[in-house]
Amino acid sequence: QWYQRRVLEAVVSTQSTGSSDNGHGIAVGSRAHLQDDAVANRSLVRNFLMWGFHMFVYVVGGVNNIQDTQCGFKLFTRATARAIFSQLNIERWAFDVEIFVIANYLDIGAVEVAVNWEEVDGSKLVPIFSWLEMAKDLLMIRTRYMIGAWSVSRIKAE
């Protein structure tokens, strides 16, 4: 229960500090605090791909306020979910990055909440192929928003 309270407090804090409209906020599960341990337990190739992807997200995707965009745990207020998910264009692994691109454009606050994480065998990601697919998607996100092929509309909170 303490964990649930911490996550809800995180979402509430984004509503008061990082959002232009009341009712918006995102809490993102983050494994960043575990990175030193994770690095020790991952292969050199996987670490290289992880660091490369993080740099690519920062430089190409423009997402610099969230360290762990790919953690599966995300909590959205209802208003935020409506504002963001109705505007997503990417349906593959990099959709998480587009969530934060849209949130940043709409000035919707997001906070990271440390979560416990354990690597398990059987990942659906094929390291090099998946990284190339995500890199292609990040370039597509950046390019299509820059040239106006994709745009973000401001949606009022209910």
Side-chain angles (χ1 to χ4, degrees):
Q1 288 184 355
W2 64 270
Y3 185 75
Q4 292 171 336
R5 186 171 48 250
R6 191 172 77 184
V7 170
L8 292 174
E9 287 170 357
V11 170
V12 169
S13 76
T14 65
Q15 293 177 6
S16 61
T17 60
S19 175
S20 58
D21 295 320
N22 287 335
H24 287 289
I26 306 170
V28 182
S30 178
R31 302 161 291 189
H33 68 289
L34 299 171
Q35 189 166 350
D36 291 338
D37 292 335
V39 166
N41 295 324
R42 288 183 178 145
S43 71
L44 183 61
V45 171
R46 189 165 177 143
N47 284 328
F48 176 76
L49 292 174
M50 176 189 68
W51 288 323
F53 182 72
H54 287 251
M55 182 60 70
F56 212 66
V57 167
Y58 178 77
V59 173
V60 176
V63 177
N64 57 11
N65 57 329
I66 300 295
Q67 290 181 318
D68 189 2
T69 59
Q70 299 310 113
C71 183
F73 176 78
K74 294 173 184 66
L75 179 68
F76 302 86
T77 63
R78 181 181 309 211
T80 297
R82 286 184 177 150
I84 291 177
F85 287 106
S86 64
Q87 301 189 68
L88 280 176
N89 298 288
I90 295 292
E91 296 178 357
R92 293 172 296 275
W93 292 103
F95 84 94
D96 302 78
V97 176
E98 189 181 11
I99 285 171
F100 297 112
V101 168
I102 294 169
N104 287 344
Y105 179 82
L106 295 174
D107 194 28
I108 294 173
V111 294
E112 288 183 285
V113 178
V115 295
N116 292 330
W117 191 266
E118 189 174 315
E119 295 282 339
V120 293
D121 291 333
S123 172
K124 295 178 184 173
L125 285 174
V126 178
I128 294 174
F129 177 74
S130 297
W131 193 91
L132 291 172
E133 283 291 312
M134 287 190 271
K136 180 186 81 169
D137 286 348
L138 285 174
L139 286 169
M140 185 168 43
I141 290 168
R142 175 69 169 230
T143 303
R144 290 190 176 174
Y145 280 110
M146 278 179 50
I147 66 171
W150 293 346
S151 61
V152 178
S153 301
R154 295 203 177 272
I155 298 174
K156 298 273 186 200
E158 293 180 7

PDB file of all heavy atoms in Angstrom, residues 14-15 19-25 76-84 86-87 106-109 153-158:
ATOM      1  N   THR A  14       2.661  15.976 -10.301  1.00  0.00           N
ATOM      2  CA  THR A  14       2.802  16.457 -11.672  1.00  0.00           C
ATOM      3  C   THR A  14       1.644  17.375 -12.037  1.00  0.00           C
ATOM      4  O   THR A  14       1.802  18.278 -12.836  1.00  0.00           O
ATOM      5  CB  THR A  14       2.861  15.302 -12.695  1.00  0.00           C
ATOM      6  OG1 THR A  14       1.628  14.603 -12.702  1.00  0.00           O
ATOM      7  CG2 THR A  14       4.021  14.382 -12.419  1.00  0.00           C
ATOM      8  N   GLN A  15       0.501  17.143 -11.437  1.00  0.00           N
ATOM      9  CA  GLN A  15      -0.647  17.984 -11.733  1.00  0.00           C
ATOM     10  C   GLN A  15      -0.443  19.406 -11.233  1.00  0.00           C
ATOM     11  O   GLN A  15      -0.879  20.359 -11.851  1.00  0.00           O
ATOM     12  CB  GLN A  15      -1.919  17.404 -11.117  1.00  0.00           C
ATOM     13  CG  GLN A  15      -2.340  16.106 -11.744  1.00  0.00           C
ATOM     14  CD  GLN A  15      -3.564  15.525 -11.069  1.00  0.00           C
ATOM     15  OE1 GLN A  15      -4.168  16.130 -10.201  1.00  0.00           O
ATOM     16  NE2 GLN A  15      -3.929  14.324 -11.472  1.00  0.00           N
ATOM     17  N   SER A  19       2.135  20.855 -15.158  1.00  0.00           N
ATOM     18  CA  SER A  19       1.075  20.776 -16.146  1.00  0.00           C
ATOM     19  C   SER A  19       0.396  22.121 -16.318  1.00  0.00           C
ATOM     20  O   SER A  19       0.198  22.862 -15.381  1.00  0.00           O
ATOM     21  CB  SER A  19       0.045  19.736 -15.690  1.00  0.00           C
ATOM     22  OG  SER A  19      -1.042  19.721 -16.567  1.00  0.00           O
ATOM     23  N   SER A  20       0.039  22.419 -17.556  1.00  0.00           N
ATOM     24  CA  SER A  20      -0.660  23.668 -17.826  1.00  0.00           C
ATOM     25  C   SER A  20      -2.152  23.546 -17.538  1.00  0.00           C
ATOM     26  O   SER A  20      -2.823  24.528 -17.333  1.00  0.00           O
ATOM     27  CB  SER A  20      -0.439  24.073 -19.283  1.00  0.00           C
ATOM     28  OG  SER A  20      -0.887  23.047 -20.143  1.00  0.00           O
ATOM     29  N   ASP A  21      -2.679  22.343 -17.549  1.00  0.00           N
ATOM     30  CA  ASP A  21      -4.098  22.119 -17.287  1.00  0.00           C
ATOM     31  C   ASP A  21      -4.239  21.182 -16.090  1.00  0.00           C
ATOM     32  O   ASP A  21      -3.528  20.200 -15.992  1.00  0.00           O
ATOM     33  CB  ASP A  21      -4.781  21.461 -18.485  1.00  0.00           C
ATOM     34  CG  ASP A  21      -4.791  22.348 -19.710  1.00  0.00           C
ATOM     35  OD1 ASP A  21      -5.007  23.556 -19.562  1.00  0.00           O
ATOM     36  OD2 ASP A  21      -4.585  21.816 -20.797  1.00  0.00           O
ATOM     37  N   ASN A  22      -5.185  21.475 -15.207  1.00  0.00           N
ATOM     38  CA  ASN A  22      -5.428  20.556 -14.091  1.00  0.00           C
ATOM     39  C   ASN A  22      -5.924  19.229 -14.619  1.00  0.00           C
ATOM     40  O   ASN A  22      -6.555  19.151 -15.654  1.00  0.00           O
ATOM     41  CB  ASN A  22      -6.462  21.161 -13.135  1.00  0.00           C
ATOM     42  CG  ASN A  22      -5.887  22.293 -12.330  1.00  0.00           C
ATOM     43  OD1 ASN A  22      -4.678  22.363 -12.117  1.00  0.00           O
ATOM     44  ND2 ASN A  22      -6.743  23.182 -11.882  1.00  0.00           N
ATOM     45  N   GLY A  23      -5.653  18.180 -13.881  1.00  0.00           N
ATOM     46  CA  GLY A  23      -6.118  16.870 -14.274  1.00  0.00           C
ATOM     47  C   GLY A  23      -5.117  16.075 -15.079  1.00  0.00           C
ATOM     48  O   GLY A  23      -5.406  14.960 -15.477  1.00  0.00           O
ATOM     49  N   HIS A  24      -3.937  16.632 -15.350  1.00  0.00           N
ATOM     50  CA  HIS A  24      -2.934  15.932 -16.141  1.00  0.00           C
ATOM     51  C   HIS A  24      -1.765  15.491 -15.288  1.00  0.00           C
ATOM     52  O   HIS A  24      -1.372  16.180 -14.352  1.00  0.00           O
ATOM     53  CB  HIS A  24      -2.410  16.814 -17.276  1.00  0.00           C
ATOM     54  CG  HIS A  24      -3.378  16.988 -18.390  1.00  0.00           C
ATOM     55  ND1 HIS A  24      -3.699  15.975 -19.267  1.00  0.00           N
ATOM     56  CD2 HIS A  24      -4.108  18.053 -18.765  1.00  0.00           C
ATOM     57  CE1 HIS A  24      -4.579  16.426 -20.137  1.00  0.00           C
ATOM     58  NE2 HIS A  24      -4.850  17.678 -19.855  1.00  0.00           N
ATOM     59  N   GLY A  25      -1.195  14.365 -15.632  1.00  0.00           N
ATOM     60  CA  GLY A  25       0.007  13.902 -14.968  1.00  0.00           C
ATOM     61  C   GLY A  25       0.338  12.472 -15.346  1.00  0.00           C
ATOM     62  O   GLY A  25      -0.539  11.693 -15.713  1.00  0.00           O
ATOM     63  N   PHE A  76      -1.315   7.049 -15.834  1.00  0.00           N
ATOM     64  CA  PHE A  76      -1.793   8.303 -16.416  1.00  0.00           C
ATOM     65  C   PHE A  76      -3.087   8.715 -15.738  1.00  0.00           C
ATOM     66  O   PHE A  76      -3.913   7.857 -15.424  1.00  0.00           O
ATOM     67  CB  PHE A  76      -2.109   8.125 -17.912  1.00  0.00           C
ATOM     68  CG  PHE A  76      -0.952   7.653 -18.732  1.00  0.00           C
ATOM     69  CD1 PHE A  76      -0.673   6.301 -18.860  1.00  0.00           C
ATOM     70  CD2 PHE A  76      -0.152   8.560 -19.399  1.00  0.00           C
ATOM     71  CE1 PHE A  76       0.389   5.849 -19.622  1.00  0.00           C
ATOM     72  CE2 PHE A  76       0.918   8.128 -20.171  1.00  0.00           C
ATOM     73  CZ  PHE A  76       1.185   6.774 -20.278  1.00  0.00           C
ATOM     74  N   THR A  77      -3.282  10.018 -15.574  1.00  0.00           N
ATOM     75  CA  THR A  77      -4.611  10.462 -15.177  1.00  0.00           C
ATOM     76  C   THR A  77      -5.524  10.239 -16.381  1.00  0.00           C
ATOM     77  O   THR A  77      -5.057  10.087 -17.516  1.00  0.00           O
ATOM     78  CB  THR A  77      -4.625  11.949 -14.779  1.00  0.00           C
ATOM     79  OG1 THR A  77      -4.268  12.728 -15.926  1.00  0.00           O
ATOM     80  CG2 THR A  77      -3.687  12.227 -13.610  1.00  0.00           C
ATOM     81  N   ARG A  78      -6.803  10.227 -16.146  1.00  0.00           N
ATOM     82  CA  ARG A  78      -7.762  10.021 -17.239  1.00  0.00           C
ATOM     83  C   ARG A  78      -7.614  11.108 -18.313  1.00  0.00           C
ATOM     84  O   ARG A  78      -7.581  10.817 -19.501  1.00  0.00           O
ATOM     85  CB  ARG A  78      -9.191  10.030 -16.698  1.00  0.00           C
ATOM     86  CG  ARG A  78     -10.236   9.789 -17.769  1.00  0.00           C
ATOM     87  CD  ARG A  78     -11.598   9.829 -17.183  1.00  0.00           C
ATOM     88  NE  ARG A  78     -11.610   8.933 -16.020  1.00  0.00           N
ATOM     89  CZ  ARG A  78     -12.661   8.261 -15.618  1.00  0.00           C
ATOM     90  NH1 ARG A  78     -13.797   8.383 -16.241  1.00  0.00           N
ATOM     91  NH2 ARG A  78     -12.597   7.483 -14.570  1.00  0.00           N
ATOM     92  N   ALA A  79      -7.484  12.343 -17.874  1.00  0.00           N
ATOM     93  CA  ALA A  79      -7.344  13.449 -18.831  1.00  0.00           C
ATOM     94  C   ALA A  79      -6.081  13.300 -19.671  1.00  0.00           C
ATOM     95  O   ALA A  79      -6.083  13.551 -20.879  1.00  0.00           O
ATOM     96  CB  ALA A  79      -7.331  14.790 -18.088  1.00  0.00           C
ATOM     97  N   THR A  80      -5.002  12.874 -19.037  1.00  0.00           N
ATOM     98  CA  THR A  80      -3.746  12.686 -19.762  1.00  0.00           C
ATOM     99  C   THR A  80      -3.857  11.546 -20.759  1.00  0.00           C
ATOM    100  O   THR A  80      -3.404  11.660 -21.899  1.00  0.00           O
ATOM    101  CB  THR A  80      -2.592  12.424 -18.778  1.00  0.00           C
ATOM    102  OG1 THR A  80      -2.436  13.572 -17.949  1.00  0.00           O
ATOM    103  CG2 THR A  80      -1.298  12.146 -19.499  1.00  0.00           C
ATOM    104  N   ALA A  81      -4.441  10.432 -20.339  1.00  0.00           N
ATOM    105  CA  ALA A  81      -4.610   9.294 -21.245  1.00  0.00           C
ATOM    106  C   ALA A  81      -5.420   9.711 -22.473  1.00  0.00           C
ATOM    107  O   ALA A  81      -5.052   9.373 -23.604  1.00  0.00           O
ATOM    108  CB  ALA A  81      -5.291   8.137 -20.518  1.00  0.00           C
ATOM    109  N   ARG A  82      -6.471  10.453 -22.279  1.00  0.00           N
ATOM    110  CA  ARG A  82      -7.296  10.908 -23.413  1.00  0.00           C
ATOM    111  C   ARG A  82      -6.515  11.850 -24.322  1.00  0.00           C
ATOM    112  O   ARG A  82      -6.617  11.771 -25.546  1.00  0.00           O
ATOM    113  CB  ARG A  82      -8.559  11.594 -22.911  1.00  0.00           C
ATOM    114  CG  ARG A  82      -9.562  10.625 -22.366  1.00  0.00           C
ATOM    115  CD  ARG A  82     -10.834  11.319 -21.962  1.00  0.00           C
ATOM    116  NE  ARG A  82     -11.797  10.333 -21.510  1.00  0.00           N
ATOM    117  CZ  ARG A  82     -12.728  10.573 -20.611  1.00  0.00           C
ATOM    118  NH1 ARG A  82     -12.840  11.767 -20.073  1.00  0.00           N
ATOM    119  NH2 ARG A  82     -13.554   9.613 -20.256  1.00  0.00           N
ATOM    120  N   ALA A  83      -5.757  12.749 -23.710  1.00  0.00           N
ATOM    121  CA  ALA A  83      -5.009  13.736 -24.498  1.00  0.00           C
ATOM    122  C   ALA A  83      -3.895  13.091 -25.312  1.00  0.00           C
ATOM    123  O   ALA A  83      -3.626  13.503 -26.441  1.00  0.00           O
ATOM    124  CB  ALA A  83      -4.438  14.811 -23.576  1.00  0.00           C
ATOM    125  N   ILE A  84      -3.242  12.094 -24.752  1.00  0.00           N
ATOM    126  CA  ILE A  84      -2.068  11.523 -25.415  1.00  0.00           C
ATOM    127  C   ILE A  84      -2.410  10.345 -26.323  1.00  0.00           C
ATOM    128  O   ILE A  84      -2.018  10.322 -27.487  1.00  0.00           O
ATOM    129  CB  ILE A  84      -1.008  11.105 -24.370  1.00  0.00           C
ATOM    130  CG1 ILE A  84      -0.416  12.357 -23.724  1.00  0.00           C
ATOM    131  CG2 ILE A  84       0.090  10.252 -25.012  1.00  0.00           C
ATOM    132  CD1 ILE A  84       0.576  12.079 -22.622  1.00  0.00           C
ATOM    133  N   SER A  86      -5.006   9.344 -27.876  1.00  0.00           N
ATOM    134  CA  SER A  86      -5.776   9.620 -29.088  1.00  0.00           C
ATOM    135  C   SER A  86      -4.899  10.198 -30.198  1.00  0.00           C
ATOM    136  O   SER A  86      -5.318  10.261 -31.348  1.00  0.00           O
ATOM    137  CB  SER A  86      -6.916  10.588 -28.769  1.00  0.00           C
ATOM    138  OG  SER A  86      -6.389  11.843 -28.356  1.00  0.00           O
ATOM    139  N   GLN A  87      -3.654  10.596 -29.852  1.00  0.00           N
ATOM    140  CA  GLN A  87      -2.785  11.244 -30.829  1.00  0.00           C
ATOM    141  C   GLN A  87      -1.546  10.425 -31.192  1.00  0.00           C
ATOM    142  O   GLN A  87      -0.712  10.880 -31.976  1.00  0.00           O
ATOM    143  CB  GLN A  87      -2.347  12.613 -30.292  1.00  0.00           C
ATOM    144  CG  GLN A  87      -3.543  13.511 -30.001  1.00  0.00           C
ATOM    145  CD  GLN A  87      -3.129  14.915 -29.689  1.00  0.00           C
ATOM    146  OE1 GLN A  87      -2.645  15.616 -30.572  1.00  0.00           O
ATOM    147  NE2 GLN A  87      -3.324  15.328 -28.452  1.00  0.00           N
ATOM    148  N   LEU A 106       2.519  19.134 -24.844  1.00  0.00           N
ATOM    149  CA  LEU A 106       1.325  19.585 -24.127  1.00  0.00           C
ATOM    150  C   LEU A 106       1.636  20.102 -22.721  1.00  0.00           C
ATOM    151  O   LEU A 106       0.730  20.472 -21.988  1.00  0.00           O
ATOM    152  CB  LEU A 106       0.313  18.433 -24.028  1.00  0.00           C
ATOM    153  CG  LEU A 106      -0.275  17.954 -25.353  1.00  0.00           C
ATOM    154  CD1 LEU A 106      -1.146  16.720 -25.140  1.00  0.00           C
ATOM    155  CD2 LEU A 106      -1.061  19.066 -26.033  1.00  0.00           C
ATOM    156  N   ASP A 107       2.912  20.118 -22.360  1.00  0.00           N
ATOM    157  CA  ASP A 107       3.355  20.580 -21.035  1.00  0.00           C
ATOM    158  C   ASP A 107       2.704  19.760 -19.920  1.00  0.00           C
ATOM    159  O   ASP A 107       2.273  20.294 -18.905  1.00  0.00           O
ATOM    160  CB  ASP A 107       3.066  22.074 -20.857  1.00  0.00           C
ATOM    161  CG  ASP A 107       3.804  22.668 -19.667  1.00  0.00           C
ATOM    162  OD1 ASP A 107       4.884  22.151 -19.320  1.00  0.00           O
ATOM    163  OD2 ASP A 107       3.295  23.628 -19.063  1.00  0.00           O
ATOM    164  N   ILE A 108       2.633  18.448 -20.138  1.00  0.00           N
ATOM    165  CA  ILE A 108       2.097  17.535 -19.140  1.00  0.00           C
ATOM    166  C   ILE A 108       3.278  16.998 -18.340  1.00  0.00           C
ATOM    167  O   ILE A 108       4.209  16.428 -18.904  1.00  0.00           O
ATOM    168  CB  ILE A 108       1.313  16.384 -19.788  1.00  0.00           C
ATOM    169  CG1 ILE A 108       0.057  16.935 -20.473  1.00  0.00           C
ATOM    170  CG2 ILE A 108       0.949  15.324 -18.752  1.00  0.00           C
ATOM    171  CD1 ILE A 108      -0.712  15.912 -21.286  1.00  0.00           C
ATOM    172  N   GLY A 109       3.229  17.180 -17.038  1.00  0.00           N
ATOM    173  CA  GLY A 109       4.328  16.753 -16.178  1.00  0.00           C
ATOM    174  C   GLY A 109       4.406  15.244 -16.050  1.00  0.00           C
ATOM    175  O   GLY A 109       3.406  14.537 -16.111  1.00  0.00           O
ATOM    176  N   SER A 153      -2.573  18.160 -30.906  1.00  0.00           N
ATOM    177  CA  SER A 153      -3.666  19.101 -30.614  1.00  0.00           C
ATOM    178  C   SER A 153      -3.846  19.204 -29.113  1.00  0.00           C
ATOM    179  O   SER A 153      -3.759  18.206 -28.400  1.00  0.00           O
ATOM    180  CB  SER A 153      -4.969  18.606 -31.242  1.00  0.00           C
ATOM    181  OG  SER A 153      -4.824  18.479 -32.624  1.00  0.00           O
ATOM    182  N   ARG A 154      -4.114  20.380 -28.655  1.00  0.00           N
ATOM    183  CA  ARG A 154      -4.409  20.572 -27.234  1.00  0.00           C
ATOM    184  C   ARG A 154      -5.846  20.131 -26.973  1.00  0.00           C
ATOM    185  O   ARG A 154      -6.762  20.566 -27.634  1.00  0.00           O
ATOM    186  CB  ARG A 154      -4.221  22.021 -26.834  1.00  0.00           C
ATOM    187  CG  ARG A 154      -2.783  22.453 -26.967  1.00  0.00           C
ATOM    188  CD  ARG A 154      -2.483  23.633 -26.099  1.00  0.00           C
ATOM    189  NE  ARG A 154      -1.087  23.974 -26.195  1.00  0.00           N
ATOM    190  CZ  ARG A 154      -0.140  23.447 -25.423  1.00  0.00           C
ATOM    191  NH1 ARG A 154      -0.444  22.576 -24.507  1.00  0.00           N
ATOM    192  NH2 ARG A 154       1.121  23.789 -25.573  1.00  0.00           N
ATOM    193  N   ILE A 155      -5.998  19.226 -26.022  1.00  0.00           N
ATOM    194  CA  ILE A 155      -7.316  18.711 -25.673  1.00  0.00           C
ATOM    195  C   ILE A 155      -7.613  19.181 -24.254  1.00  0.00           C
ATOM    196  O   ILE A 155      -6.814  18.995 -23.357  1.00  0.00           O
ATOM    197  CB  ILE A 155      -7.350  17.164 -25.763  1.00  0.00           C
ATOM    198  CG1 ILE A 155      -7.064  16.746 -27.209  1.00  0.00           C
ATOM    199  CG2 ILE A 155      -8.667  16.619 -25.263  1.00  0.00           C
ATOM    200  CD1 ILE A 155      -6.923  15.242 -27.385  1.00  0.00           C
ATOM    201  N   LYS A 156      -8.761  19.784 -24.077  1.00  0.00           N
ATOM    202  CA  LYS A 156      -9.146  20.299 -22.752  1.00  0.00           C
ATOM    203  C   LYS A 156      -9.426  19.161 -21.789  1.00  0.00           C
ATOM    204  O   LYS A 156     -10.017  18.156 -22.164  1.00  0.00           O
ATOM    205  CB  LYS A 156     -10.400  21.178 -22.862  1.00  0.00           C
ATOM    206  CG  LYS A 156     -10.223  22.403 -23.706  1.00  0.00           C
ATOM    207  CD  LYS A 156      -9.685  23.521 -22.883  1.00  0.00           C
ATOM    208  CE  LYS A 156      -9.650  24.771 -23.735  1.00  0.00           C
ATOM    209  NZ  LYS A 156      -8.784  25.756 -23.262  1.00  0.00           N
ATOM    210  N   ALA A 157      -9.013  19.355 -20.537  1.00  0.00           N
ATOM    211  CA  ALA A 157      -9.342  18.393 -19.478  1.00  0.00           C
ATOM    212  C   ALA A 157     -10.821  18.502 -19.158  1.00  0.00           C
ATOM    213  O   ALA A 157     -11.393  19.583 -19.208  1.00  0.00           O
ATOM    214  CB  ALA A 157      -8.506  18.660 -18.226  1.00  0.00           C
ATOM    215  N   GLU A 158     -11.419  17.365 -18.860  1.00  0.00           N
ATOM    216  CA  GLU A 158     -12.861  17.389 -18.522  1.00  0.00           C
ATOM    217  C   GLU A 158     -13.076  17.705 -17.084  1.00  0.00           C
ATOM    218  O   GLU A 158     -12.357  17.360 -16.215  1.00  0.00           O
ATOM    219  CB  GLU A 158     -13.462  16.033 -18.871  1.00  0.00           C
ATOM    220  CG  GLU A 158     -13.468  15.795 -20.359  1.00  0.00           C
ATOM    221  CD  GLU A 158     -14.074  14.441 -20.711  1.00  0.00           C
ATOM    222  OE1 GLU A 158     -14.601  13.747 -19.853  1.00  0.00           O
ATOM    223  OE2 GLU A 158     -14.008  14.092 -21.885  1.00  0.00           O
TER     224      GLU A 158
END
